[in-house]
Amino acid sequence: MDEDGSSVAVGKSGSEHSHSARLKKAGEIKAMGRAFATVKKRQKANIARVADLENRKQRLLQTRKESIGNAGLLKQAVESLERNGIRVRMTGTREEAVSLVLAELAGEKLVVKSKSNLTKELGLTEALTDKGVEVVETDIGDRIVQIIGEKPSHPTGPASHLSKQEIADRLSAHFGHRIKPMAEDIVGLVRDEIAAYISSASVGITGANAIAAEEGAVLLMHNEGNIIQVATRPGKHIILAGIDKIYPNIEEALNMLKLQVFYATGALSTSFINIIAGTSQTADIEKKLIKGVHGPKEICLILVDNHRSEIAGGDYRELLYCIGCGQCLLVCPAYSVYGNKFSVGSQLGGRGVVYAALNGEGADGGELDICLGCKRCQKNCPLAIDTPTMVSKLRLERHLKLRQPQLARAYDFVRAHIDWIDDALALEATWLLARLMGLGEGKGKDKG
Ligand code: SF4
């Protein structure tokens, strides 16, 4: 097995190896394209069922404008949460956030975790693993990419770029037996492994889709049902959320969730929306208050800044309006050719690359050059976030810093398009070759 778990014959030449890598990448991009096409088809079928879609988007935009960087709203949220018995810790940097989580774990060596883009931004899993804590992802897609050491390709569909054949091949090594390329079998196997970890863990870590300031509540949305199990480990529930996740109240937070799920999946709702506004508790025996009856004894919310305050106060403020639906990725022609190569760290696509340049994850400029400036992301974003203008602004800043002539900007624009055409043609040629060789789409079909 090579480092990514796929089978590579011993003694393969360099060119054969790179040819295999190209076939693999082409297969991943095609699998991602099929997954994205399914979401777009579902969006088209369901759009008429979302009442007042345009009004909802306007209402959300107004809420985001008023909430981002609003110190008064943040203060109100902290007071309400603490009144409900949720301990709140505020933290500035990535390192501080990791230290706080370690302190909250208080020596626990196993922790189960649900999907959270913030924890990816913080590199939390890697940091905890370095300290000897076993961190187990509990979302099926996230657990798959964790086991096989892959990078996610979509904020809510992390394994979208992997075909069932590829997943089955690569999980076989982890489980030590041959796994059939059938979605049901794969899900059952991964679920059973996750369930065993969940029942052994005392502490669970989740993100938060939203925090409602008025009620002091945390909203969590999911389809798999794993999040509520993670959130109800008996010892402690640790929640990590960016300070940009604060909404004035539950109603506005639900409006965002409705739009987020529609743009991320094409559905009108996820299977579950949990609202947590305190611990499970009873005073049924002689009025003595007992906490943690059916859930954790303690809930700790870590509110993370990590450059958000700076961004909220500057020219790139709009970036923080993002609700993480990933709609921009579905329509981006660059992402459809490059996949998650158009990213920096955990930040995917054009908006992600701009965000990474500002939040300390770093972008060396090469990723910015991938953007074609076509504006499709902006036109299709529910909040009309103007990513292309932000990309151009960052490119210009880089040119000025390097004292490059203005002509270089035009050169970059032309080069991005030539590279894109070149890579799109190469992708199609590789994919055609893979199909002629009997690899690709036909290979992964369920037979049962
Ligand atoms: S402007 Fe850039 S990031 Fe946006 S859709 Fe076009 S190529 Fe993608």
Side-chain angles (χ1 to χ4, degrees), residues 328 331-335 342 349-351 370-378 387-388 391:
C328 52
V331 299
C332 173
Y335 205 77
F342 186 18
R351 185 259 169 206
I370 290 177
C371 174
L372 302 166
C374 66
K375 294 187 179 284
R376 291 189 70 186
C377 50
Q378 185 190 7
T387 294
V391 169

Side-chain angles (χ1 to χ4, degrees), residues 89-91 95-105 302:
R89 313 281 308 264
M90 306 284 289
T91 177
E95 293 72 23
E96 285 168 12
V98 171
S99 298
L100 272 182
V101 174
L102 275 167
E104 290 295 334
L105 285 177
I302 300 176

Side-chain angles (χ1 to χ4, degrees), residues 104-175:
E104 290 295 334
L105 285 177
E108 285 291 331
K109 290 295 174 206
L110 169 67
V111 65
V112 285
K113 180 180 160 298
S114 69
K115 187 171 14 233
S116 150
N117 291 322
L118 174 63
T119 58
K120 286 179 188 144
E121 174 187 321
L122 299 172
L124 183 71
T125 299
E126 297 75 11
L128 294 183
T129 307
D130 283 350
K131 298 285 180 189
V133 179
E134 186 178 11
V135 182
V136 178
E137 296 289 348
T138 58
D139 172 89
I140 298 284
D142 265 333
R143 181 62 184 153
I144 289 170
V145 296
Q146 182 181 37
I147 291 171
I148 66 181
E150 275 278 342
K151 196 170 172 177
S153 55
H154 185 272
T156 64
S160 302
H161 59 302
L162 300 168
S163 67
K164 52 186 178 275
Q165 181 69 59
E166 169 108 18
I167 294 170
D169 286 348
R170 296 174 70 182
L171 288 186
S172 296
H174 174 76
F175 285 102

Side-chain angles (χ1 to χ4, degrees), residues 184-246:
E184 292 81 1
D185 287 15
I186 295 169
V187 169
L189 208 60
V190 177
R191 177 205 54 219
D192 291 349
E193 190 204 40
I194 289 170
Y197 277 114
I198 289 177
S199 60
S200 314
S202 169
V203 178
I205 296 179
T206 70
N209 292 93
I211 293 164
E214 187 178 308
E215 298 86 353
V218 175
L219 286 87
L220 295 161
M221 180 168 73
H222 51 123
N223 274 319
E224 293 183 11
N226 61 315
I227 289 188
I228 199 60
Q229 293 196 48
V230 171
T232 50
R233 291 304 81 220
K236 192 183 283 185
H237 177 196
I238 302 172
I239 306 165
L240 281 119
I243 55 170
D244 53 316
K245 287 290 171 78
I246 299 181

Side-chain angles (χ1 to χ4, degrees), residues 139-363:
D139 172 89
I140 298 284
D142 265 333
R143 181 62 184 153
I144 289 170
V145 296
Q146 182 181 37
I147 291 171
I148 66 181
E150 275 278 342
K151 196 170 172 177
S153 55
H154 185 272
T156 64
S160 302
H161 59 302
L162 300 168
S163 67
K164 52 186 178 275
Q165 181 69 59
E166 169 108 18
I167 294 170
D169 286 348
R170 296 174 70 182
L171 288 186
S172 296
H174 174 76
F175 285 102
H177 60 86
R178 192 80 217 137
I179 297 169
K180 286 191 208 154
M182 294 171 73
E184 292 81 1
D185 287 15
I186 295 169
V187 169
L189 208 60
V190 177
R191 177 205 54 219
D192 291 349
E193 190 204 40
I194 289 170
Y197 277 114
I198 289 177
S199 60
S200 314
S202 169
V203 178
I205 296 179
T206 70
N209 292 93
I211 293 164
E214 187 178 308
E215 298 86 353
V218 175
L219 286 87
L220 295 161
M221 180 168 73
H222 51 123
N223 274 319
E224 293 183 11
N226 61 315
I227 289 188
I228 199 60
Q229 293 196 48
V230 171
T232 50
R233 291 304 81 220
K236 192 183 283 185
H237 177 196
I238 302 172
I239 306 165
L240 281 119
I243 55 170
D244 53 316
K245 287 290 171 78
I246 299 181
Y247 288 76
N249 51 44
I250 287 176
E251 288 87 341
E252 296 312 317
L254 286 173
N255 182 48
M256 181 278 292
L257 293 185
K258 182 145 185 159
L259 291 168
Q260 189 186 38
V261 70
F262 176 71
Y263 283 102
T265 68
L268 268 64
S269 174
T270 48
S271 301
F272 306 95
I273 295 175
N274 297 108
I275 300 177
I276 297 176
T279 51
S280 151
Q281 53 194 29
T282 181
D284 280 353
I285 315 291
E286 294 188 351
K287 297 288 168 222
K288 181 174 168 49
L289 185 68
I290 308 286
K291 289 190 171 182
V293 187
H294 295 290
K297 290 183 182 62
E298 258 191 283
I299 303 174
C300 172
L301 168 66
I302 300 176
L303 278 173
V304 181
D305 190 313
N306 198 33
H307 299 276
R308 286 167 174 76
S309 297
E310 280 161 56
I311 297 172
D315 292 350
Y316 298 89
R317 174 184 168 79
E318 244 184 68
L319 274 182
L320 296 178
Y321 296 173
C322 179
I323 57 170
C325 65
Q327 172 76 2
C328 52
L329 304 178
L330 301 189
V331 299
C332 173
Y335 205 77
S336 75
V337 167
Y338 298 110
N340 58 13
K341 190 179 145 202
F342 186 18
S343 68
V344 176
S346 63
Q347 308 296 338
L348 307 175
R351 185 259 169 206
V353 167
V354 174
Y355 187 60
L358 303 172
N359 84 345
E361 279 182 89

